[in-house]
Amino acid sequence: MIGRWLQSLKNRGLNPGVALGYAAVVALFLWTLAQFYIPGKGLSYLIAFGAKQEEARLSKIRKLDYFVTKASDGYDAQYYVQIAMDPSLQNQALKRAVDSLPYRGRRILFAATAYAFGLGEPAWILQAFALQNVATWLLLAVLLLHWFPPRTWDNFIRWAGTLLSIGLCLSFRNALFDGPSLLLIAFGVYLLDQGRPWWSTAVFALSGLGKETNLLGSAALLPRLNDGGRAWGVAVLRGLLTVVPLALWVVYIALFVGGKAGDPGARNFDLPFAAYGRKWGDVLENLPEVSAVNAWPLWGLLMLVALTVQFLYLVLRPQWNQAWWRIGLSFALLMIFLGDAVWEGYPGAAARVLLPMQLAFNVLVPAGRGWWAVLVLGNLTMLAAPAALESPTGEGYVVRGPDALVYGSAREKFAIEYADEWYPVERNNNDYWCWAGGNAVIAVTNPQAVPLVVRLRFALNVATPRTVWLQLNGTQLWSTELDDHSSLNVTLNELVLPPGSSRLVFVTDEPPSHLGSDPRPLAFRLQNLRVDVQRPAPPAN
């Protein structure tokens, strides 16, 4: 059977080895997706809800079971998923829940599709919103075969370079609109290649409701230089039609929502190359601090190199008659004017915003060994895919023990909850940790009706010399003195937890300090917290 399959691929002009490479990338993506699934919470981790925004959130969201990152402001998708609960924007609570409703409300398309796929049910809408990027990635993987069939390893770099680019990975990782937007632009060009310019016009018009910058993709509709005046007149008509849906929606927002419906977003644009230059300075300044735990400055450097190579190729090799070149050049011009809000952070949003430029680059770079260096440099961000797709950090603890002890009679679970004094959980490979900025509480819930005997294990690290105590319900269990940047592995046996909630309190005698370039005030780090639930405590005499 395998032999017949290989021969079938060869008969179609495909390379079996390259085809297996394609299949491996898809399998890796699906495996990664499975790591983001949290029982009871689904794929809500991808939406990046922040605890600091919890009070402002829509009540129909707060009633759901979803993942929230503690001590975090969250990210953009947490606003858009609330818009998806009422795409008409008529829910007055949206003005409080969304940081800029007129600005974010313009990007209504993928909020509306989540509402439709979720059949108007909040729990289903939430999951549909996260799943849109999953479906997008898989559909894009198929659509890109139109330009990059699995015939050569050169095509593999182009195909995988797009799908595993840091921009597309972060769109999936944070349930953003850049991946779905790229799919619509690519589909619009595909229809144009198939000789269906009016259907292509409709797709580009629809894409403008996903993101305003998607309208740059309609540059594909421009005629070739040797086409006559009638072709240019038709192109102008098609261009106007692509703008109509967004223009009408902006009018609707202005009339029925209020605010600045044409708001371009704070700090999204700047003078030519000004923010781009500042990004280079920031990356080079922080590059010496790259480590296994903090590799993001390196990924920022790879992003800048890749985007610069793509930009230079498109600018220096004009190919007006190619639809992808016209799109690529449009986004290259956009790159010149992007502001600090798009470049700042690691790696920054620019890799997402400029995804169409990367795809245009991959379609247009000539085949052959002479272009391999350019092709590889333009797809360098593939190297950052593992970091961009790193699975959830988890809850910051592990509880082990017999199910009869870990779960109560109503199946409530032995639970641990970090209070707000702790920073969000971080992770590197198998290690996970939380930093605290000072005294910090952990709530422990014993679901049994009797006391339980547990063993507590953790490592403790400090930023500066200090003494740290650990108390359980007001009783001191343990203390230690730690030197500068020292670490200590701790095991506490035979701890007795009463039924219900208990308080583990870490107390320190010194104020927090700053570690390297980390802006957070840090006191100590609790690493690899493990609780072994061992047995019921014997009855008191």
Side-chain angles (χ1 to χ4, degrees):
M1 179 178 291
I2 294 178
R4 288 198 300 271
W5 177 74
L6 293 175
Q7 188 59 48
S8 174
L9 290 177
K10 291 178 181 178
N11 291 341
R12 298 176 186 176
L14 306 180
N15 184 315
V18 176
L20 285 174
Y22 279 52
V25 170
V26 174
L28 174 64
F29 174 78
L30 294 175
W31 178 85
T32 300
L33 171 65
Q35 310 311 304
F36 286 93
Y37 178 80
I38 300 173
K41 302 178 188 292
L43 292 173
S44 60
Y45 183 91
L46 297 173
I47 299 178
F49 287 107
K52 292 182 179 179
Q53 306 296 325
E54 191 72 6
E55 291 186 6
R57 203 158 288 146
L58 292 180
S59 60
K60 61 176 64 178
I61 293 271
R62 283 188 276 121
K63 292 175 182 177
L64 303 176
D65 188 8
Y66 57 95
F67 185 91
V68 179
T69 302
K70 290 189 175 297
S72 169
D73 290 314
Y75 205 54
D76 292 2
Q78 67 179 336
Y79 302 119
Y80 292 115
V81 76
Q82 294 182 87
I83 292 174
M85 297 294 162
D86 182 8
S88 72
L89 308 182
Q90 294 305 300
N91 187 336
Q92 293 302 307
L94 282 172
K95 294 182 179 180
R96 184 171 68 98
V98 178
D99 57 349
S100 177
L101 185 57
Y103 169 71
R104 298 197 185 276
R106 289 203 306 266
R107 302 173 175 184
I108 195 61
L109 176 62
F110 302 115
T113 54
Y115 180 88
F117 289 130
L119 303 178
E121 293 293 329
W124 296 356
I125 294 170
L126 185 70
Q127 299 304 322
F129 191 92
L131 278 167
Q132 285 185 135
N133 263 272
V134 177
T136 289
W137 193 96
L138 294 171
L139 290 171
L140 191 60
V142 174
L143 182 59
L144 291 183
L145 297 177
H146 172 68
W147 295 284
F148 315 127
R151 292 178 180 143
T152 64
W153 289 108
D154 179 288
N155 272 1
F156 175 82
I157 292 177
R158 301 168 196 264
W159 181 84
T162 302
L163 292 170
L164 298 180
S165 65
I166 199 166
L168 199 58
C169 288
L170 290 176
S171 178
F172 159 76
R173 178 68 173 71
N174 294 296
L176 299 171
F177 296 159
D178 307 276
S181 294
L182 182 64
L183 175 65
L184 287 179
I185 290 174
F187 187 53
V189 179
Y190 171 80
L191 290 172
L192 205 58
D193 287 349
Q194 301 302 306
R196 299 180 178 179
W198 290 106
W199 280 107
S200 177
T201 301
V203 170
F204 285 124
L206 185 66
S207 73
L209 293 172
K211 280 185 68 177
E212 306 88 328
T213 54
N214 292 347
L215 291 177
L216 295 175
S218 61
L221 299 171
L222 293 171
R224 294 172 296 182
L225 291 177
N226 57 351
D227 289 338
R230 183 178 182 278
W232 282 93
V234 172
V236 170
L237 173 61
R238 290 176 181 149
L240 292 173
L241 289 176
T242 62
V243 177
V244 168
L246 178 59
L248 291 176
W249 184 248
V250 168
V251 171
Y252 172 87
I253 292 174
L255 292 176
F256 298 103
V257 178
K260 297 180 179 179
D263 182 4
R267 301 165 53 244
N268 280 344
F269 298 99
D270 205 336
L271 295 174
F273 293 113
Y276 168 81
R278 287 191 290 270
K279 178 67 175 181
W280 268 107
D282 180 58
V283 166
L284 295 176
E285 179 183 352
N286 288 283
L287 203 56
E289 298 182 15
V290 166
S291 65
V293 176
N294 178 33
W296 285 108
L298 175 60
W299 308 142
L301 176 64
L302 296 185
M303 180 195 74
L304 284 171
V305 170
L307 291 179
T308 301
V309 169
Q310 296 164 23
F311 175 88
L312 291 175
Y313 175 83
L314 291 165
V315 170
L316 297 177
R317 285 182 59 88
Q319 302 173 57
W320 179 268
N321 288 343
Q322 297 291 331
W324 273 117
W325 183 83
R326 299 193 293 273
I327 292 174
L329 183 67
S330 298
F331 280 87
L333 294 175
L334 174 66
M335 173 178 152
I336 295 174
F337 296 98
L338 291 178
D340 288 320
V342 185
W343 289 107
E344 66 190 6
Y346 286 100
R352 296 188 285 103
V353 172
L354 299 173
L355 272 171
M357 184 173 78
Q358 173 158 9
L359 180 50
F361 168 85
N362 279 327
V363 171
L364 296 170
V365 170
R369 293 184 180 179
W371 288 96
W372 266 62
V374 173
L375 189 61
V376 169
L377 287 173
N379 289 286
L380 274 180
T381 63
M382 270 199 301
L383 299 176
L389 294 176
E390 188 176 35
S391 56
T393 55
E395 302 284 0
Y397 63 87
V398 171
V399 175
R400 293 190 176 96
D403 278 2
L405 298 180
V406 172
Y407 291 92
S409 58
R411 296 303 292 170
E412 65 274 31
K413 189 177 180 181
F414 188 104
I416 293 176
E417 183 175 359
Y418 288 86
D420 292 340
E421 301 89 16
W422 298 92
Y423 292 109
V425 179
E426 301 173 71
R427 177 177 174 176
N428 182 45
N429 297 324
N430 293 326
D431 294 321
Y432 52 90
W433 62 87
C434 282
W435 278 99
N439 299 345
V441 176
I442 296 177
V444 182
T445 301
N446 169 9
Q448 304 297 331
V450 298
L452 293 175
V453 176
V454 304
R455 176 173 60 200
L456 193 65
R457 293 180 290 165
F458 58 87
L460 198 70
N461 314 99
V462 296
T464 52
R466 65 183 62 248
T467 300
V468 179
W469 298 268
L470 176 60
Q471 301 172 352
L472 173 60
N473 294 331
T475 301
Q476 183 170 312
L477 297 177
W478 166 88
S479 67
T480 188
E481 294 183 9
L482 292 170
D483 298 327
D484 192 21
H485 302 305
S486 60
S487 178
L488 180 68
N489 291 316
V490 180
T491 299
L492 301 175
N493 292 304
E494 300 296 310
L495 299 184
V496 178
L497 297 178
S501 181
S502 296
R503 284 167 52 94
L504 284 170
V505 184
F506 286 84
V507 182
T508 185
D509 61 340
E510 295 291 337
S513 60
H514 291 282
L515 186 62
S517 61
D518 196 323
R520 302 173 299 178
L522 305 174
F524 52 84
R525 179 175 73 168
L526 182 67
Q527 183 173 345
N528 297 336
L529 175 63
R530 298 177 177 88
V531 179
D532 300 310
V533 183
Q534 298 176 314
R535 62 184 184 277
N541 293 330

